[in-house]
C-alpha cells in the first residue's frame, strides 16, 4: 500500500500526519517506509534528527541519476535510512531537490518514482510526504500511490480550495494513475469548542466530502514531538493525540 499525503496549501500538517501515521504502522509491526518529497525536508528532520545533516544519499541523488547516465546507478533501496524506531525507515529529502524540478519536468521523468517503488517490495506500507503545491514532485507521488489523504485545517479558504484539489486528483487519476483513490480528508488542529470549525465540518459533511474520524485536535505536545524527533506513539503513548493517531490509522486500515 502506497499512501501520499497531499494538499496544495502549506501549514496543514502534512509532515506531522505522514510521520505519525507511519510510526503507528511501524509500531503495529509492519515494515514501513516514509518518502520525503518536500525540499523543506521537515519529515527527514523529524524522523532522523541530527543524522539528517550529513546524509550520503538523498532523493536528490535518485532523481539526478535519472537525468545523467551512470555506469552503476544506485537503486532506491540503497538510499534508504533506518530510523531509531523498529520497522520504520525513511528516504530523505534535501533542499537541492527544488533545483532539479524543471529538468525533470522537461524530460518527463514523472513515472520514475513509481517504477522504483514497484521494484521495492520489501515494505508493507509506504507513506509519501509532498510539497505544498501541485508540482513535479507531488505529481510523481500521486502517480506512484494507491491512496491519497488530504490534510485539512478548519477554515473557509481551505474548504473552498478542496474542490479544486479534488478535481486535480481526478485529472491525475484519469490521465496517469487509474488506481489512485481518495482515501479521505484528515481534519487537523480541530478545536471542538469553537463554533467556526464545527460549522465548517457540518458544511463539508452536508456536501458528502469524505472526512475521516477522529479529527486531530490541537496540542502543544506535537511541538515537543518535533523538537525531540519522536512521533507521538514513541513520545507519549498515553496522550490524547496519540490515541487519535492510532484511531485514525485503524480507520484507514480497516
Amino acid at each position: 500500500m502506497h499512501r501520499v499525503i497531499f494538499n496544495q496549501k502549506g501549514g496543514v500538517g502534512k509532515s506531522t500526519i505522514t510521520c505519525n501515521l507511519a510510526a503507528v504502522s511501524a509500531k503495529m509491526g509492519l515494515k514501513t517506509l516514509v518518502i520525503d518529497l518536500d525540499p523543506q525536508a521537515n519529515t527527514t528532520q523529524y524522523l532522523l534528527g541530527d543524522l539528517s545533516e550529513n546524509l550520503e544519499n538523498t532523493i536528490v541523488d535518485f532523481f539526478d541519476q535519472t537525468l545523467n547516465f551512470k555506469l552503476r546507478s544506485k537503486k532506491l533501496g540503497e538510499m534508504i535510512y533506518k530510523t531509531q524506531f523498529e520497522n520504520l525507515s525513511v528516504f530523505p529529502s534535501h533542499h537541492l531537490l527544488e533545483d532539479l524540478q524543471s529538468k525533470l519536468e522537461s524530460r518527463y521523468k514523472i513515472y520514475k518514482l513509481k517504477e522504483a517503488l514497484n521494484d521495492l517490495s520489501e515494505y508493507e506500507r509506504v507513506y509519501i510526504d509532498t510539497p505544498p503545491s501541485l508540482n513535479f514532485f507531488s505529481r510523481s507521488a500521486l502517480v506512484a500511490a494507491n491512496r491519497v489523504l488530504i490534510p485539512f485545517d478548519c477554515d473557509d479558504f481551505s474548504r473552498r480550495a478542496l474542490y479544486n484539489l479534488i478535481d486535480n486528483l481526478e485529472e491525475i487519476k484519469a490521465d496517469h494513475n487509474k488506481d489512485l483513490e481518495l482515501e479521505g480528508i484528515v481534519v487537523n488542529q480541530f478545536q471542538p469548542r469553537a463554533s467556526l470549525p464545527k460549522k465548517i465540518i457540518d458544511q463539508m459533511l452536508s456536501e458528502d466530502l469524505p472526512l475521516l474520524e477522529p479529527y486531530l485536535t490541537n496540542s502543544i505536545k506535537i511541538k515537543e514531538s518535533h523538537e525531540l524527533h519522536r512521533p507521538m506513539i514513541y513520545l507519549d503513548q498515553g496522550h490524547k493525540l496519540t490515541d487519535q493517531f492510532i484511531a485514525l490509522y485503524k480507520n484507514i486500515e480497516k
Side-chain angles (χ1 to χ4, degrees):
M1 178 74 72
H2 301 161
R3 284 191 177 94
V4 58
I5 291 77
F6 174 62
N7 194 320
Q8 295 164 200
K9 184 177 183 294
V12 295
K14 287 186 297 79
S15 299
T16 297
I17 291 167
T18 300
C19 293
N20 279 277
L21 288 178
V24 174
S25 173
K27 191 74 171 179
M28 295 294 180
L30 297 177
K31 193 166 184 182
T32 304
L33 172 65
V34 176
I35 298 176
D36 189 357
L37 278 176
D38 190 343
Q40 296 180 81
N42 291 332
T43 283
T44 298
Q45 294 169 31
Y46 193 0
L47 294 179
L48 292 180
D50 292 340
L51 294 177
S52 65
E53 301 300 322
N54 297 292
L55 298 173
E56 183 178 350
N57 293 294
T58 70
I59 203 160
V60 172
D61 300 283
F62 168 76
F63 280 118
D64 183 65
Q65 71 184 14
T66 71
L67 295 168
N68 303 289
F69 174 77
K70 295 182 180 179
L71 190 60
R72 185 194 178 279
S73 294
K74 287 189 176 183
K75 294 185 178 180
L76 189 149
E78 299 177 77
M79 304 181 190
I80 290 170
Y81 293 79
K82 291 183 178 180
T83 70
Q84 61 179 307
F85 312 109
E86 187 177 3
N87 297 321
L88 186 59
S89 299
V90 61
F91 187 13
S93 188
H94 191 277
H95 66 89
L96 292 177
L97 183 62
E98 198 164 10
D99 296 343
L100 294 178
Q101 183 172 194
S102 60
K103 293 180 181 179
L104 290 164
E105 281 182 323
S106 65
R107 294 174 62 179
Y108 206 68
K109 300 294 184 178
I110 198 168
Y111 289 98
K112 289 301 181 181
L113 180 63
K114 182 182 181 72
E115 292 168 2
L117 285 178
N118 286 342
D119 293 334
L120 195 70
S121 58
E122 61 190 281
Y123 292 95
E124 297 167 276
R125 295 292 183 273
V126 176
Y127 287 81
I128 310 174
D129 190 18
T130 55
S133 61
L134 188 60
N135 62 12
F136 171 85
F137 301 112
S138 52
R139 284 191 174 94
S140 292
L142 292 164
V143 166
N146 311 111
R147 301 287 185 270
V148 55
L149 295 171
I150 300 175
F152 172 80
D153 54 1
C154 289
D155 67 70
D156 196 52
F157 291 130
S158 296
R159 183 183 69 84
R160 294 175 188 275
L162 270 177
Y163 302 102
N164 181 53
L165 192 158
I166 292 171
D167 286 344
N168 288 334
L169 294 179
E170 288 299 320
E171 182 178 357
I172 289 173
K173 178 176 180 176
D175 293 347
H176 302 291
N177 184 4
K178 62 181 177 59
D179 296 323
L180 183 66
E181 298 292 341
L182 173 55
E183 199 162 29
I185 297 167
V186 179
V187 177
N188 192 33
Q189 302 181 62
F190 182 62
Q191 298 173 297
R193 296 181 181 178
S195 59
L196 182 59
K198 186 177 184 305
K199 179 181 178 181
I200 290 172
I201 292 297
D202 288 343
Q203 287 176 325
M204 294 171 69
L205 290 172
S206 70
E207 295 162 352
D208 293 324
L209 290 171
L211 301 186
L212 293 170
E213 292 185 344
Y215 308 147
L216 304 175
T217 52
N218 264 329
S219 173
I220 194 67
K221 198 74 173 180
I222 201 66
K223 293 184 179 179
E224 182 181 345
S225 171
H226 295 159
E227 184 178 354
L228 296 176
H229 313 293
R230 297 182 68 83
M232 288 298 299
I233 198 166
Y234 299 110
L235 179 66
D236 188 345
Q237 291 195 38
H239 195 274
K240 179 182 179 180
L241 188 54
T242 305
D243 291 341
Q244 290 170 357
F245 277 119
I246 293 172
L248 178 61
Y249 171 83
K250 290 180 177 179
N251 191 4
I252 61 178
E253 287 285 337
K254 67 183 179 183

